[in-house]
């Protein structure tokens, strides 16, 4: 059973050490992966729109994707320039929250709350579990449950 009890904040290795370099490479790779997943979602969304399986405006669709990709670039640059170490904060919860917000926005825009886009909430929880463990995955799932799953007219 996963331990969901609170624990100490993750320790950041000292700059210039092999552990710090490894953590930096991991964080940068995660942001590249986020961008790759979003580009995949963009292609899938376009294909579904062109085949009539999803309904959304292109303006909203490209706005969501553009803002999401900008968030990937922002977090990539924050990690690359060491702001997480300099500020002494864990940036993971911030980009987890962005992912939930962008997924929610995509579901809303698609006007298909019971459909295909809900898989992205699972992707968000899986990313949180992979990067930060069970507590963060649970937090992402709970944040998702707070999302209204019916389109607001």
């Amino acid at each position: 059973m996963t331990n969901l009890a609170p624990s100490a904040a993750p320790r950041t290795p000292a700059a210039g050490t092999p552990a710090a370099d490894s953590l930096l490479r991991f964080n940068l790779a995660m942001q590249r992966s986020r961008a790759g997943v979003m580009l995949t979602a963009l292609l899938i969304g376009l294909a579904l729109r062109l085949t009539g399986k999803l309904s959304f405006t292109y303006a909203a669709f490209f706005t969501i994707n553009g803002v999401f990709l900008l968030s990937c670039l922002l977090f990539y640059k924050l990690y690359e320039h060491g702001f997480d170490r300099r500020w002494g904060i864990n940036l993971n919860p911030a980009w987890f929250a962005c992912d939930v917000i962008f997924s929610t926005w995509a579901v809303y825009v698609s006007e298909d709350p019971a459909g295909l886009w809900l898989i992205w909430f699972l992707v968000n929880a899986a990313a949180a579990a992979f990067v930060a463990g069970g507590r963060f995955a649970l937090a992402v799932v709970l944040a998702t449950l707070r999302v209204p799953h019916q389109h607001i007219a």
Side-chain angles (χ1 to χ4, degrees), residues 1-9 132-136 138:
M1 185 164 163
T2 303
N3 180 8
L4 298 176
S7 63
R135 287 181 312 143
F136 282 100
L138 180 60

Side-chain angles (χ1 to χ4, degrees), residues 9-34:
R11 294 184 183 158
T12 304
T17 64
D21 294 341
S22 178
L23 180 61
L24 174 61
R25 284 192 308 275
F26 176 78
N27 287 330
L28 295 176
M30 283 306 300
Q31 298 311 308
R32 286 191 301 269
S33 293
R34 286 179 68 225

Side-chain angles (χ1 to χ4, degrees), residues 50-107:
L50 292 172
T51 59
K53 302 291 183 193
L54 274 181
S55 172
F56 52 78
T57 66
Y58 287 110
F61 180 73
F62 285 111
T63 299
I64 293 168
N65 283 281
V67 171
F68 188 100
L69 289 170
L70 284 174
S71 85
C72 296
L73 179 62
L74 170 69
F75 284 105
Y76 187 92
K77 290 298 183 184
L78 288 173
Y79 282 121
E80 183 178 51
H81 293 288
F83 283 103
D84 56 328
R85 291 185 308 275
R86 201 172 312 156
W87 295 337
I89 61 170
N90 182 357
L91 295 174
N92 292 338
W95 66 262
F96 296 158
C98 286
D99 289 358
V100 170
I101 290 167
F102 296 136
S103 296
T104 302
W105 190 9
V107 169

